Amino acid sequence: MKIGQATIKDIARELNVSSSTVSRALKDYPGISDETKRKVKELAAKLNYRPNAIALSLRKSRSFTIGVIIPEVVHFFFSTVISGIEEVAYSRGYNVILTQTNEKFDRERSSIETMLSNQIDGFLVSYSKETQEFDHFSNLLDQGYPIVFFDRVPDIPKAINVMVDDYRGSYDAVSHLIRQGYKRIVHLAGPKNLTISKERIRGYKDALTDHGIQVDENLIVECPLGTDDESRKITAEILKSPAQKPDAFFGNNDMAAVGAMMACRDAGLKVPEDVGVVGFSNWQFCSMIEPGLSSVAQPGFQMGAKATEILLDIIEKKLDPEQINEPITLPTELLIRKSSVRTKN
Amino acid sequence: MKIGQATIKDIARELNVSSSTVSRALKDYPGISDETKRKVKELAAKLNYRPNAIALSLRKSRSFTIGVIIPEVVHFFFSTVISGIEEVAYSRGYNVILTQTNEKFDRERSSIETMLSNQIDGFLVSYSKETQEFDHFSNLLDQGYPIVFFDRVPDIPKAINVMVDDYRGSYDAVSHLIRQGYKRIVHLAGPKNLTISKERIRGYKDALTDHGIQVDENLIVECPLGTDDESRKITAEILKSPAQKPDAFFGNNDMAAVGAMMACRDAGLKVPEDVGVVGFSNWQFCSMIEPGLSSVAQPGFQMGAKATEILLDIIEKKLDPEQINEPITLPTELLIRKSSVRTKN
DNA sequence: TTGTACGCGTTATCAG
DNA sequence: CTGATAACGCGTACAA
């Protein structure tokens, strides 16, 4: 079965009119008798006619589909972003085709290829951790292909970037820790090739400096994986070495922060009394654990929505990409929970 | 720009051959001189030729794209499933187009429409909580359209269903609680129109009965939303009424279980000493909270992968849908953590 | 070994 | 008000 999807031609044949007439009747073109319109529409409904979007795409070289390239779907933040993307795309009549790179550079490239084959109208991308050079994006940009980057954004000409204000979020979190009386604050940092990691490190440093605390590079520890296990081990190491004596941990993400909390517990240290902890992303579990984990909330949904709106505006020529010279920055919000609040000092 | 995507014709013109020759050369057809092949391929590479998948779809009435319809992307379990889907689809050369229904029936229907317009090769669906009748699926099935349902599966003819063994998972969880000495076990149930909810209730009841405990319908409480807030309130109510005196909670999902834990804490009850708690889904946070939440793990990734494999096998005629008469069931695993283990008693 | 012609479903254009 | 034709990019039966 399934063969029998009715086409314009079928309707035309049955009604003894030309297919162009049918096409026009269906779209309420001027200059078609009401009589014909009615008949056509009736039959169309009866035959359950459904326009073939593929044929349309071929004709218009537009697919009304946007491609989303994302490192991992199973990631609270990213899934939130996808949700925002899907929401806006749907409401504006676009399809979303999705690929995850699993943080692989090769897969990023091949996904772009297949999407191009599919005449995607534009891209929404957050690049992989492996990605170190951006020619595959630059080429497209040079050809005038619409791309909007989000969260993990490249520093290349013509790129349109949507990101959260990582600097500010980080700055706020660290300032808060300092105000609570914590002094030796470790930053469990992310991969240093990512702009977001760099920005967060910058915010961390500036907050310290602005509060008269000298930056100690030894307290900036990279956690490339960003898992709780990894940071648990790293934190345990730090706590062992008597030289460090940190009294707070600021995680580049919530998993890292949780790992630190667990390591503290393992070492017999109390959070927040002995050690303060703040994370980044505000995953769902932050409010469920005990003590609640303070965290910098990122507006994932809004980010996805915003990026999509911009992309679609560009695709529909409502917006000239040249006009956008600065990254679009979305505000973060520091959510303070127990893990960083000293009842007394 | 972007206009200048090279086509077969461009290559043909430049080489003074016909476009069919180019087409054949590109695909290593027999009966093309090596010389021509070489030239064609060279030029193709040089022009960065990329086959137009849309044209191909039109010709073959196949799009090599599958449509995924899911209630919510921002849901740990579903995002895991999507990941499995994407993985298999990618490895077999298919695109994934994604829509979320936000649990709305209308959106489910309209998504199906647009996907049909896009000549999707098949569907992967988990239906919305609002969905009460299934004609929109039955019609497709009757027309021979390939659909594989997962997790939330309908009870209609010809449907191919992939699900976890909810009954078994529930049975195991409740049996475990009983063995730990808990006796009055409340089940925070899901929406009763969903098969998964029903199955979990069935498992709950059978476990009680098999262990010689009489089922008390009052202890089965529906939590339609499945949020922690909701179940926290509901649990608080239950704990207030002196008649009930429950000593354990089995949640239809982890959020519900966490809500119950919070309510117990609020009421001054200790988990697991006074009250045992088990959840369902094994979300990431289960291992991060204190005490760790015991939970029934659902193999989301495998479910997505399995469903996709079946769908693609059907699409590619490697598998006859008629052959599948029973739901495909994936095993769950009970992960026991502190929240349900009594040190003594 | 290569070329010609047609069709997939739709719509824009030009003629009636 | 309506019809015929061409074109989007590709594959393929048929002819040469």
Side-chain angles (χ1 to χ4, degrees):
Chain A
M1 337 273 158
K2 168 188 166 180
I3 28 165
Q5 190 38 298
T7 77
I8 278 191
K9 285 188 188 172
D10 297 327
I11 303 183
R13 196 177 322 116
E14 192 136 344
L15 254 37
N16 278 318
V17 296
S18 79
S19 44
S20 15
T21 303
V22 176
S23 169
R24 289 189 276 236
L26 252 13
K27 326 197 82 185
D28 277 326
Y29 256 55
I32 292 281
S33 75
D34 287 354
E35 177 61 10
T36 334
K37 267 190 203 168
R38 196 184 48 73
K39 278 206 257 178
V40 168
K41 287 187 177 175
E42 251 176 46
L43 186 55
K46 185 174 150 219
L47 295 182
N48 193 11
Y49 168 76
R50 196 179 293 119
N52 184 326
I54 295 284
L56 242 157
S57 299
L58 181 60
R59 191 146 209 307
K60 305 227 171 135
S61 4
R62 298 247 296 91
S63 60
F64 283 91
T65 301
I66 58 176
V68 176
I69 296 182
I70 220 163
E72 290 207 66
V73 179
V74 188
H75 194 298
F76 179 66
F77 176 68
F78 283 132
S79 68
T80 318
V81 178
I82 295 177
S83 183
I85 292 172
E86 212 281 326
E87 206 56 33
V88 172
Y90 176 81
S91 75
R92 290 179 62 167
Y94 282 76
N95 299 310
V96 172
I97 140 168
L98 178 84
T99 348
Q100 60 183 338
T101 59
N102 286 325
E103 306 284 7
K104 297 286 174 233
F105 177 69
D106 284 345
R107 205 150 153 186
E108 188 169 288
R109 282 229 305 229
S110 83
S111 292
I112 292 180
E113 277 304 311
T114 64
M115 288 192 178
L116 285 175
S117 279
N118 282 280
Q119 313 300 109
I120 283 287
D121 291 344
F123 287 96
L124 246 24
V125 0
S126 193
Y127 63 79
S128 87
K129 284 186 187 166
E130 266 186 28
T131 305
Q132 307 270 6
E133 51 101 351
F134 302 95
D135 288 357
H136 53 314
F137 296 129
S138 299
N139 291 338
L140 292 178
L141 252 13
D142 289 343
Q143 289 171 49
Y145 235 103
I147 311 183
V148 174
F149 296 90
F150 60 89
D151 193 53
R152 310 230 194 120
V153 304
D155 188 16
I156 55 176
K158 297 194 195 177
I160 295 177
N161 297 336
V162 179
M163 51 207 295
V164 300
D165 196 338
D166 291 290
Y167 172 80
R168 189 87 229 158
S170 173
Y171 185 96
D172 288 348
V174 176
S175 300
H176 159 69
L177 282 169
I178 296 171
R179 278 195 301 273
Q180 290 291 319
Y182 299 105
K183 291 194 167 57
R184 285 189 59 77
I185 303 169
V186 171
H187 179 33
L188 301 165
K192 294 191 181 167
N193 64 319
L194 298 184
T195 312
I196 52 172
S197 308
K198 287 187 215 153
E199 283 296 286
R200 292 176 196 176
I201 291 173
R202 199 164 65 83
Y204 163 82
K205 288 183 177 174
D206 282 5
L208 292 179
T209 312
D210 288 358
H211 289 82
I213 300 181
Q214 185 144 22
V215 173
D216 178 350
E217 292 284 348
N218 290 321
L219 296 185
I220 304 176
V221 188
E222 189 169 343
C223 296
L225 300 176
T227 64
D228 50 338
D229 269 1
E230 178 193 52
S231 99
R232 186 177 193 162
K233 280 176 199 148
I234 290 176
T235 306
E237 279 308 313
I238 297 174
L239 292 175
K240 254 190 249 169
S241 95
Q244 307 287 5
K245 282 275 175 201
D247 61 0
F249 290 86
F250 169 49
N252 171 74
N253 72 51
D254 286 329
M255 300 295 272
V258 165
M261 278 178 66
M262 295 196 284
C264 290
R265 197 157 59 212
D266 296 344
L269 295 169
K270 285 212 181 293
V271 177
E273 292 81 355
D274 303 324
V275 179
V277 181
V278 177
F280 210 111
S281 277
N282 193 37
W283 284 30
Q284 292 164 310
F285 67 76
C286 290
S287 58
M288 298 176 185
I289 60 181
E290 189 54 42
L293 176 63
S294 299
S295 187
V296 180
Q298 295 170 288
F301 187 93
Q302 284 91 318
M303 176 178 269
K306 187 73 187 169
T308 310
E309 271 160 14
I310 294 175
L311 181 66
L312 296 185
D313 283 349
I314 293 176
I315 291 174
E316 295 171 354
K317 312 278 182 210
K318 292 182 194 162
L319 186 65
D320 178 8
E322 306 283 337
Q323 284 179 356
I324 306 176
N325 300 310
E326 306 208 329
I328 288 97
T329 319
L330 270 32
T332 58
E333 187 186 359
L334 175 64
L335 297 180
I336 298 172
R337 301 197 179 86
K338 282 192 199 163
S339 70
S340 63
V341 176
R342 277 186 166 158
T343 30
K344 210 165 176 181
N345 185 12
Chain B
M1 339 271 160
K2 168 188 165 180
I3 27 165
Q5 193 35 301
T7 77
I8 278 193
K9 282 189 190 169
D10 298 326
I11 301 183
R13 195 177 324 114
E14 191 136 344
L15 255 38
N16 277 319
V17 296
S18 79
S19 45
S20 29
T21 304
V22 176
S23 169
R24 288 188 276 237
L26 252 13
K27 326 198 82 185
D28 278 326
Y29 256 55
I32 293 281
S33 75
D34 288 352
E35 177 62 9
T36 333
K37 268 190 202 170
R38 197 184 47 71
K39 279 206 257 178
V40 167
K41 287 189 177 173
E42 251 176 43
L43 186 56
K46 186 175 150 218
L47 294 183
N48 194 9
Y49 168 77
R50 195 180 294 120
N52 183 325
I54 295 285
L56 245 155
S57 299
L58 183 60
R59 193 155 205 302
K60 305 229 171 129
S61 2
R62 298 247 296 90
S63 61
F64 283 92
T65 301
I66 58 176
V68 176
I69 295 182
I70 220 162
E72 290 208 66
V73 179
V74 189
H75 195 298
F76 179 67
F77 176 68
F78 283 133
S79 69
T80 318
V81 178
I82 295 177
S83 182
I85 292 172
E86 212 280 326
E87 206 54 34
V88 172
Y90 175 82
S91 75
R92 290 179 61 166
Y94 282 76
N95 299 311
V96 172
I97 142 168
L98 178 83
T99 349
Q100 59 183 338
T101 59
N102 285 325
E103 306 284 7
K104 297 287 174 231
F105 177 69
D106 284 344
R107 205 149 153 188
E108 187 169 289
R109 281 228 303 230
S110 83
S111 291
I112 291 181
E113 278 304 311
T114 65
M115 287 192 179
L116 286 175
S117 277
N118 282 280
Q119 312 300 110
I120 284 289
D121 291 344
F123 288 97
L124 246 24
V125 0
S126 193
Y127 63 80
S128 87
K129 283 185 185 166
E130 267 186 30
T131 305
Q132 308 270 5
E133 51 101 351
F134 302 94
D135 287 357
H136 52 314
F137 296 130
S138 299
N139 291 337
L140 292 178
L141 253 13
D142 288 343
Q143 289 171 48
Y145 235 102
I147 310 183
V148 173
F149 296 91
F150 60 90
D151 194 52
R152 311 232 194 117
V153 303
D155 188 17
I156 55 177
K158 296 194 195 177
I160 295 176
N161 297 336
V162 179
M163 51 206 295
V164 299
D165 196 338
D166 290 290
Y167 172 79
R168 189 86 229 159
S170 173
Y171 186 96
D172 289 347
V174 176
S175 300
H176 158 70
L177 282 169
I178 296 170
R179 277 194 302 271
Q180 291 290 320
Y182 300 105
K183 291 194 168 55
R184 284 189 59 78
I185 303 168
V186 171
H187 179 33
L188 301 165
K192 294 190 179 166
N193 63 320
L194 298 183
T195 312
I196 51 172
S197 309
K198 287 186 215 155
E199 284 296 285
R200 291 176 197 176
I201 292 173
R202 199 164 65 83
Y204 163 83
K205 288 183 176 173
D206 282 6
L208 292 179
T209 311
D210 289 359
H211 289 82
I213 300 181
Q214 187 144 20
V215 173
D216 177 349
E217 292 285 344
N218 291 320
L219 296 185
I220 303 176
V221 188
E222 190 170 343
C223 296
L225 300 176
T227 63
D228 50 339
D229 269 0
E230 177 193 54
S231 98
R232 186 177 192 163
K233 280 175 199 148
I234 290 176
T235 306
E237 280 307 312
I238 297 174
L239 292 175
K240 255 189 248 168
S241 95
Q244 307 286 6
K245 281 278 177 200
D247 61 1
F249 291 86
F250 169 49
N252 171 75
N253 72 52
D254 286 328
M255 300 295 272
V258 165
M261 277 178 68
M262 294 196 284
C264 289
R265 198 158 59 210
D266 296 343
L269 294 169
K270 284 213 181 293
V271 176
E273 292 80 355
D274 304 322
V275 179
V277 181
V278 177
F280 210 110
S281 276
N282 192 38
W283 285 29
Q284 293 164 310
F285 67 78
C286 289
S287 58
M288 299 176 184
I289 61 181
E290 188 55 44
L293 176 62
S294 298
S295 187
V296 180
Q298 295 170 289
F301 187 92
Q302 284 92 318
M303 176 179 268
K306 187 73 187 172
T308 310
E309 271 161 14
I310 294 175
L311 180 66
L312 296 185
D313 282 350
I314 293 176
I315 291 174
E316 295 171 353
K317 312 279 184 210
K318 292 183 193 160
L319 186 65
D320 178 8
E322 306 282 338
Q323 284 177 357
I324 306 176
N325 299 310
E326 304 207 331
I328 288 97
T329 319
L330 271 31
T332 58
E333 187 187 359
L334 174 64
L335 297 181
I336 298 172
R337 301 198 178 86
K338 281 192 200 163
S339 70
S340 63
V341 176
R342 277 189 164 155
T343 30
K344 213 165 174 180
N345 188 9

